[in-house]
Structure formats: C-alpha cells, structure tokens
Amino acid sequence: MGLNASGHSRPAFLGPLPAATEQRILAACPGATLTGEGRPAGARTTAAWGPVRALHRSWAGDEAVRHRAAAGGTLTALGRFLLETGEIDAVVQVRASTTTPWLTDALVSTDPDTALSGAQSRYGPAAPLVNIKRLLDEGLRFAVLAKPCDISAVRSLGRVDPRVDQQVRYLLTIFCGGVHNEKVPLQIIRHHGVETDEVSVFRYRGDGWPGPTRVETTDGTRHDLTYEQAWHTTGAQSWRYDLQFRCKICPDAVGESADLSAPDGWILRDGKPIYEEAPGTNALLVRTARGQDLVRRAVAAGALVLSPLSTVELEQMHVNHLDRRLGAPAQQLALQVTGSRRVALRKYRPLAALRAAGPRRLWQQFAGTLRRIRRHDNVEPMVDPASLPARTGSGC
C-alpha cells in the first residue's frame, strides 16, 4: 500500500496479477463489492441504521481509557478486555505513525497497553488490514477494530477464505465520516506556522471529548484547535474535510456488517449535537448475537458502562449520515447512467432506502454524484511503485 499523487492510500501494483489472485482480491475489495446483512433474525433492521439488536450509550469503565480515547473508549475497552481474558491473541487497529505523525500506521496489538496506544481517531488515509494474511497464516485469533469499509472487506474475505470465520473472533467499528487525503493535516500544520520536520505529535481527537486537534512540536510547543474550529467553522480555515469519491458514495458508513458499531454519543441540545468538552461517550449499536454476548461480559467485568439511548436520539446525533445511507440507490443510478464503474451492492435493502429517503434527498444525491463524475472525481492516479519504501518482507 502507498499514497498516490492525490494523497489517498491505494494498492501499488508491482507487476501483473494472476487472474485467480485478481478475482480473489476483487471479491473482498470494498471498492468493488459490498454485501450487506439483509434482515437477520433477532435484530430490528431499519433503512437508516441496518440491523440492531440493542442500542445504548457506552463508555470505558477505566476512566484513563475513557479520557484518552476519541469518544468514550468503547472499542479500546473491548479490545483490551478481549486481550486480558485471553479470548484473542491480537487486535488489528491503527495508530499515529511513529515516523510521520500526521500519517497513520497499521498496528497489531498483543497486549492491553499497546491496544491503548491505538486509541483516538485517525481521520486520514490508513490501511489497517495489511497484516490480515500474516495473522491468518500464523493461526492467530484476533479482533478487528477498523472503519466500516474495512469490516466489510473482512466479511467478504470470509466468503472465499474459511479461516476468517475461525480466527477473526470480532469485528468492531465506528460510524465513518469519510477519509480525507494526506494534504489536510499538512494544511493544519502549516496553519500553525510549523514545519513538518518540527512535528512530534499530530492528534485528531482524544485526551478529552471531543478533544483538541493538536499539533505538538519537538520542543514541546502545543497548537490546539477545538473540534468546531477544526471541522465546523466553514470558510474560516485554509483546509476542508475533502472526501475521496468512494466515501461520497458509501452505502454503509455506519458499519452494519460489524458485530457492533460505536460512534460518538454526542450531547444533544434542542435536538441537535453540540461539541462542548465533556466525559467521553459513545453510542453503541449491537448488531449480532456475538456482539451482544461480548458487551454483556464486558459490562459484568467492569470494562464497559452502559446507559439508555433511544433511536430518536441516535438520529439526532448522526443525521448527517442519512443522506449517503438513504441516497445510495440514487448515487448508483447516477453511476449507471454515465457508464461509470459502480460498486456491486448486495443485500442493502434498496427499496427500503428509497421509501425512507424521499424525492428531495434522492435528487440531491443523484445530482451531486453527477457533478462529481463530470469533474472526474471518480478518476485518480495509481500509486507509483518507485515511491514505496524498500521491501524487507511480506506483511500482507
């Protein structure tokens, strides 16, 4: 994996692929195919949120984990709990790069302290799954804490590799706002008048909720932006959260293929989310029987704390997800009528989405996708293999 000229993480092709290998890759790649969960028994399934068995607010029982994490530390707490109990051998996750702090490295954690080092959001390009093949080959049992598209990729891989069902014990995710390119953190760094060789820390979230977007230099100087200053003050910044095209047409940024999803459990005021600093809290959507059992045991052990959350509150917290989620059929139609390459979608209940979306939202998503196609947003450069670091072994 490498960064292309647009600053997005993409695979680098070092040579021609055998046809069978290419087909296996395409079967799992969330840029080529996505398979939803349909209407599984035991869950209430809606067009907006997919299958949900239980809905809660949640946070880590350990206050240090809760404070360090981007929100309530729910996923970090569960990963640590699974390692502490010996139920898994490793957690697949990400953390800030140790060499280029504004970028993100894949991480395999085999102890609770290392898992904690992977807490906090990383909004930019990341490839958390590069170690999956190695872990499967080594016979390890592991959990994956990653973006919804990464979770979908692992589910799809399980349809062509039986080891996935045996060894990948849990799939845990967030709600994803989309992945921006490498240039966004660089613009934030320059906004503070800092050079890249001076940066020791680039933190999107965490150390509070939502926590500051922090640039820290090698001499210890800190430059902080609040969550609203960094991402919600339209026009005041020299950067914007510039999503790649694939994220713009994502039908599942809420992670319906996971065992559970744990987005921010935003504080609401007059039915709208506010972003004032507070003790971190997640919303928790439990989607599978396996996820339900994990949550029950983590609560009993004191690793996780729950409180009530209603569907109405969830929708108020995350109303921004409804456009892409319900507008996916209109986006797919725009791709079809322009002859553009589409993601093959299965079991995402398009009729339910159409009924829930309404004509205005569908038209907005159709017209917006057409504009992006006409701008050629769906075409981008490949990774130049010469830009990759020297290979010292195979990790993927």
Side-chain angles (χ1 to χ4, degrees), residues 254-271:
V254 301
E256 75 165 57
S257 291
D259 292 303
L260 55 85
S261 304
D264 285 280
W266 295 118
I267 295 170
L268 296 169
R269 182 178 294 162
D270 298 326

Side-chain angles (χ1 to χ4, degrees), residues 21-315:
T21 300
E22 183 174 5
Q23 288 304 309
R24 187 179 177 88
I25 291 170
L26 291 175
C29 176
T33 181
L34 280 176
T35 301
E37 297 305 305
R39 297 183 180 277
R44 178 175 180 263
T45 302
T46 65
W49 310 117
V52 178
R53 287 173 173 259
L55 183 61
H56 312 279
R57 285 181 172 87
S58 64
W59 56 90
D62 184 327
E63 285 297 321
V65 174
R66 185 182 189 185
H67 178 76
R68 177 180 169 80
T74 294
L75 298 186
T76 301
L78 292 174
R80 286 164 54 88
F81 170 73
L82 290 167
L83 288 168
E84 288 167 351
T85 59
E87 190 172 342
I88 59 173
D89 303 305
V91 171
V92 171
Q93 54 187 138
V94 297
R95 70 179 172 192
S97 170
T98 56
T99 58
T100 313
W102 58 92
L103 297 181
T104 301
D105 289 341
L107 174 66
V108 176
S109 299
T110 56
D111 62 83
D113 287 344
T114 305
L116 181 59
S117 76
Q120 306 180 343
S121 296
R122 302 299 299 175
Y123 288 166
L129 305 184
V130 295
N131 295 299
I132 293 289
K133 182 178 184 300
R134 175 176 65 81
L135 296 175
L136 290 173
D137 289 345
E138 292 175 358
L140 298 182
R141 306 159 300 159
F142 57 98
V144 179
L145 279 62
K147 304 184 300 299
C149 57
D150 301 313
I151 298 301
S152 295
V154 177
R155 286 281 190 216
S156 294
L157 180 62
R159 297 183 181 97
V160 296
D161 188 335
R163 298 177 300 173
V164 170
D165 288 340
Q166 298 164 8
Q167 293 174 235
V168 182
R169 298 301 174 88
Y170 297 96
L171 295 172
L172 313 178
T173 195
I174 55 174
F175 282 9
C176 182
V179 178
H180 62 61
N181 60 43
E182 177 203 17
K183 300 170 187 176
V184 172
L186 294 175
Q187 290 171 321
I188 294 174
I189 290 167
R190 291 170 186 139
H191 165 80
H192 294 298
V194 175
E195 298 298 324
T196 53
D197 61 0
E198 300 176 294
V199 177
S200 61
V201 173
F202 187 94
R203 180 178 299 134
Y204 285 95
R205 297 270 304 275
D207 284 358
W209 181 53
T213 297
R214 173 169 293 169
V215 176
E216 187 171 332
T217 61
T218 51
D219 67 2
T221 303
R222 292 177 175 178
H223 305 271
D224 287 352
L225 295 168
T226 68
Y227 184 79
E228 288 195 282
Q229 287 172 332
W231 310 115
H232 286 244
T233 313
T234 305
Q237 321 101 314
S238 59
W239 64 92
R240 64 190 181 98
Y241 202 109
D242 192 11
L243 299 188
Q244 57 189 339
F245 180 80
R246 171 61 181 79
C247 294
K248 289 284 190 179
I249 61 166
C250 183
D252 186 20
V254 301
E256 75 165 57
S257 291
D259 292 303
L260 55 85
S261 304
D264 285 280
W266 295 118
I267 295 170
L268 296 169
R269 182 178 294 162
D270 298 326
K272 295 182 179 180
I274 61 172
Y275 308 106
E276 297 173 359
E277 289 293 316
T281 304
N282 292 102
L284 178 60
L285 293 78
V286 184
R287 301 190 179 279
T288 66
R290 182 181 292 187
Q292 204 162 24
D293 180 66
L294 171 59
V295 168
R296 178 188 60 76
R297 290 185 289 112
V299 169
L304 197 66
V305 180
L306 304 180
S307 70
L309 176 67
S310 71
T311 302
V312 171
E313 290 173 312
L314 176 67
E315 185 163 323

